[in-house]
Amino acid sequence: MRKLKVAIIQFAPSSYEIQNNLDKALFLIQKALEQGAKLIVLPELFDSGYCVEDKDKHYALSLKNCKHQTLKNLLELAKKYQSYIVGCSIEKERKKLFDTAYILGKDGLVGIYRKIYLWANEKQRFAHGKLYPVFELEFEHYKLKLGLQICYEIGFAEGARLLALQGAELICYPAAFGKAREYVWDLASRARALENGVFVLAANRSGKENSKLNTQELFFGGKSKIINPRGEILQELLEEEGILCEEIDLEICKIQRQSLPYLQDLNIKLHHKTLQNIYTIQSQKKE
């Protein structure tokens, strides 16, 4: 038996209000931990707020600095409750900024994922990530392989597929997904679970902020979801702030992959050859 209680935190961070955002997140995390959650996922840029484009450098954190207020507080809870917390913040590494998801556990930083596919004005703010890592989390009686993607990337089936092919059983999507395209969020989140036989924790934010690059008011869709490998929604929030908490059975991944053997039947060699041909053709067009 490999049963795990997971949780998603949904709330409405505000631009620049890092202490208030952190206080709200910690309050909700504490409640989830008291319900027995051993893996908790927060929304994208939950601490700084999403629209801090004019002060990205100021709010960026180094994941090597465990004394930073965001990391320090999350680590204290992860250690106290012997749990894992997935956060997502602006990260600084040397002279570059990234939109980065990270996993914190009782022993500190477990791993990081830097957003590869940047949405709209994010291309002006952040560098692109370059890796699709899968992380092994240790629990009392078993291990779990987990993958990370961020927001817009829920529409890139290739990313989730690459994680599943490396053994991921659960994929977390910290997000600040817009309300205008919530139909994408609804459909793509279920599709990623079904086609890969994985659990999906789709952790979106709610509320609104004003972009500092084009003065546009952005409305975020909420609708965080816990989805099983059959593409079925186990729990979902609407736009309200709150917590989703659910015990999942990881053995369902194996059962579903036997029932629908997409990963087993995938012709990786053919896909690799076709992608090479496409890359060659596109490179020639650019010359």
Side-chain angles (χ1 to χ4, degrees):
M1 297 284 288
R2 293 196 304 148
K3 292 189 175 181
L4 172 67
K5 185 165 281 192
V6 299
I8 290 174
I9 304 300
Q10 177 173 294
F11 73 111
S14 299
S15 302
Y16 312 124
E17 296 184 18
I18 191 164
Q19 190 60 57
N20 288 339
N21 294 338
L22 192 54
D23 288 344
K24 176 61 71 68
L26 293 171
F27 172 75
L28 293 170
I29 292 169
Q30 180 77 42
K31 290 181 67 175
L33 290 167
E34 290 173 355
Q35 293 179 46
K38 291 297 180 182
L39 174 64
I40 298 174
V41 188
L42 292 157
E44 182 181 16
L45 307 190
F46 77 97
D47 50 351
S48 63
Y50 183 77
C51 294
V52 294
E53 302 96 328
D54 57 334
K55 293 188 177 180
D56 280 337
K57 291 182 180 179
H58 175 75
Y59 288 105
L61 57 81
S62 168
L63 289 168
K64 298 175 183 177
N65 179 15
C66 293
K67 294 182 179 180
H68 185 280
Q69 61 180 322
T70 294
L71 301 180
K72 180 177 181 291
N73 284 280
L74 295 182
L75 280 168
E76 286 177 357
L77 286 175
K79 291 176 181 178
K80 179 179 179 180
Y81 287 89
Q82 301 287 290
S83 297
Y84 293 96
I85 299 174
V86 176
C88 184
S89 303
I90 302 171
E91 180 205 6
K92 57 183 175 185
E93 174 65 23
R94 297 180 183 177
K95 295 183 179 181
K96 292 184 178 180
L97 299 182
F98 297 91
D99 186 341
T100 299
Y102 47 88
I103 308 169
L104 302 174
K106 60 183 177 63
D107 297 320
L109 180 66
V110 176
I112 69 170
Y113 168 74
R114 291 167 175 163
K115 191 173 185 179
I116 293 171
Y117 292 106
L118 302 172
W119 166 257
N121 293 332
E122 291 173 359
K123 298 180 182 71
Q124 301 175 41
R125 304 173 62 186
F126 308 122
H128 295 268
K130 297 181 179 180
L131 298 172
Y132 286 100
V134 170
F135 307 98
E136 189 170 81
L137 307 187
E138 293 190 12
F139 296 92
E140 188 174 357
H141 300 298
Y142 62 86
K143 296 179 181 179
L144 160 69
K145 287 191 175 181
L146 179 147
L148 298 170
Q149 295 277 268
I150 301 174
C151 197
Y152 178 47
E153 296 179 319
I154 208 162
F156 288 84
E158 301 83 358
R161 178 54 53 83
L162 288 170
L163 295 173
L165 287 170
Q166 294 178 78
E169 303 163 280
L170 187 152
I171 301 176
C172 302
Y173 287 89
F177 209 95
K179 186 174 178 61
R181 298 173 183 82
E182 68 178 26
Y183 66 94
V184 178
W185 179 253
D186 290 339
L187 180 58
S189 57
R190 295 180 64 195
R192 299 297 82 83
L194 176 64
E195 65 202 9
N196 294 297
V198 297
F199 283 93
V200 164
L201 303 186
N204 199 19
R205 60 158 293 169
S206 56
K208 63 182 180 179
E209 291 187 55
N210 292 304
S211 171
K212 310 308 181 294
L213 291 177
N214 57 19
T215 69
Q216 181 182 1
E217 191 170 38
L218 302 181
F219 294 87
F220 302 97
K223 301 191 76 173
S224 296
K225 301 172 178 63
I226 299 173
I227 305 168
N228 72 15
R230 299 187 187 98
E232 298 166 338
I233 298 173
L234 302 179
Q235 283 198 47
E236 180 178 21
L237 288 168
L238 296 178
E239 295 183 26
E240 71 275 17
E241 296 185 343
I243 303 166
L244 296 177
C245 197
E246 179 83 15
E247 184 176 71
I248 62 174
D249 184 352
L250 295 166
E251 294 303 319
I252 293 176
C253 296
K254 182 179 179 180
I255 295 169
Q256 180 63 13
R257 288 173 179 179
Q258 291 173 342
S259 175
L260 280 175
Y262 293 136
L263 300 180
Q264 179 182 327
D265 291 340
L266 182 67
N267 190 331
I268 297 176
K269 185 177 180 180
L270 175 60
H271 278 257
H272 178 66
K273 182 179 179 180
T274 305
L275 285 170
Q276 282 185 317
N277 291 337
I278 292 171
Y279 178 78
T280 299
I281 292 170
Q282 291 183 344
S283 297
Q284 291 173 345
K285 288 181 179 179
K286 292 178 181 179
E287 292 178 354

